[in-house]
Amino acid sequence: MPFTANRAYKARPRMLSSADGMFYQTSEGRTVLDGTAGLWCVNAGHNAPSVTRAIQDQAAKLDFAPTFQLGHPLPFALATRLAALMPAGLDRIFFTGSGSESADTALKMAIAYHRSRGDGSRVRLIGRQRGYHGTNFGGMSVGGIGGNRRAFVTQVAGVDHLSHTHGVVPRFSRGLPESNVDLASELEDVVALHGAETIAAVIVEPVAGSTGVLIPPRGYLERLREITRRHGILLIFDEVITAFGRLGTATAAEYFGVTPDILTMAKGLTNGAVPMGAVAASRDVHDTIVDNAPDGIEFFHGYTYSGHPLAAAAGLASLETYAESRLFERAARLAPYWEAAIHRLQEARHVIDVRNLGLMAGIELSPRKDAVGARAMEAFHAAFDRGVLIRVTADIIALSPPLIISEGQIDHIVETIAHILEEVE
């Protein structure tokens, strides 16, 4: 099982058997309120009727179609819809099967772009400590979560990392912290060390999610954009988590007002119903690669399930659901209530930090001596047993509910966490 303590799980399995709206049902028939949108992905709630119907109808019409030298209408339709949601200029879409595949695709695009321009020496990739870009070799290498890297040793060569933003901004910050924007200026030191002529791209999550919801200081992303543009380095935003309403906008790029050269997405793209990812690239990136290639295949990359019919149908239905129900706007309206409720936990036992942005939150617990992560994992189990699904990473509780959550359900999640933290030693 992925990212699971398999021996511990098999000793006491926790099984989900069905889901609808804001709730899972366990195999024992218990109801569990979903505080994490599954894994950051079920933004419109479980079993969204239009998404379910679209998958069923498409399965009966065209279950699979190869997209190598062939095509079918749905991914083209979905690409058009996605391009309209992306920041201006990011209107060239490439489909993948997951966020991990999207990250590796974006990295390969960056290298291909520079080679197509005659800058073949630009092969170095810059990630960020505590960043998460999936578990394929490219994403693992630019990622900065130690446990994901140490177990496999081998990494893509030529990668360097910027510092993370955790621990240098005030605790219990609400929204964007105001200080330490100069962290982004570390990129100037990396450029001075390696030479801009060797660097293809910088990849960051606008908000680092999987590592525990690390909020960037105000102005941080703007500064990264300015430095990368000045040195001819591509900027990649990994929006696998933040796209599709998590911050109350279609993308974090829109929320921050910063447009990267390449943007990756997955998760909420299909409301989690069918695996799918995508990469949005600027017209310059696309045209440079395509126009400078010889006859034949311009970009030697792709996946069997790129643009899969069922996934594309789910994606189109998900985007329609988001628009018809105005879920992005709903998330923006709920964000102040969410913030106020989440920050009540700063008085709870073991809590040493609370941070939030949009409908995301990280509640950091003090770790036990010589047992990092144990307290949060006990909290995870206790919350599940009390009927609330949370997510933990190290000693951080991460929350990212479906955008259909009510104020009462927000209060219930917060109250449940406060209760279990009184019980967990």
Side-chain angles (χ1 to χ4, degrees), residues 184-185 187-188 219-233 235 237 258-259 261:
S185 296
L187 181 56
E188 294 281 21
Y220 174 90
L221 295 172
E222 293 90 331
R223 178 67 172 145
L224 278 185
R225 176 69 283 187
E226 185 271 321
I227 296 171
T228 52
R229 182 175 286 123
R230 178 156 42 83
H231 290 290
I233 299 166
L235 179 61
F237 277 2
V258 178
T259 300
D261 301 290

Side-chain angles (χ1 to χ4, degrees), residues 157-302:
V159 171
D160 206 343
H161 291 81
L162 303 172
S163 295
H164 58 72
T165 62
H166 187 48
V168 294
V169 298
R171 292 186 176 186
F172 304 106
S173 292
R174 295 181 178 231
L176 293 178
E178 297 289 344
S179 61
N180 289 297
V181 64
D182 285 344
L183 278 173
S185 296
E186 278 191 10
L187 181 56
E188 294 281 21
D189 298 330
V190 173
V191 169
L193 175 64
H194 298 297
E197 71 279 3
T198 72
I199 302 174
V202 172
I203 181 169
V204 297
E205 301 158 274
V207 179
S210 293
T211 193
V213 187
L214 307 186
I215 314 297
R218 190 178 300 277
Y220 174 90
L221 295 172
E222 293 90 331
R223 178 67 172 145
L224 278 185
R225 176 69 283 187
E226 185 271 321
I227 296 171
T228 52
R229 182 175 286 123
R230 178 156 42 83
H231 290 290
I233 299 166
L234 295 184
L235 179 61
I236 303 169
F237 277 2
D238 185 332
E239 295 222 34
V240 168
I241 284 175
T242 50
F244 307 111
R246 185 54 51 196
L247 301 183
T249 49
T251 62
E254 178 185 344
Y255 180 89
F256 287 101
V258 178
T259 300
D261 301 290
I262 301 173
L263 186 153
T264 71
M265 64 199 96
K267 294 189 183 290
L269 172 56
T270 63
N271 201 44
V274 181
M276 189 181 214
V279 179
S282 71
R283 185 73 62 92
D284 176 50
V285 169
H286 172 274
D287 290 354
T288 298
I289 294 172
V290 172
D291 293 348
N292 289 288
D295 290 343
I297 297 171
E298 296 92 356
F299 185 46
F300 275 80
H301 178 71

Side-chain angles (χ1 to χ4, degrees), residues 80-101:
T80 299
R81 291 290 305 275
L82 279 176
L85 282 179
M86 293 297 108
L90 297 189
D91 59 0
R92 290 295 178 263
I93 310 297
F94 189 99
F95 288 109
T96 72
S98 68
S100 291
E101 290 180 1

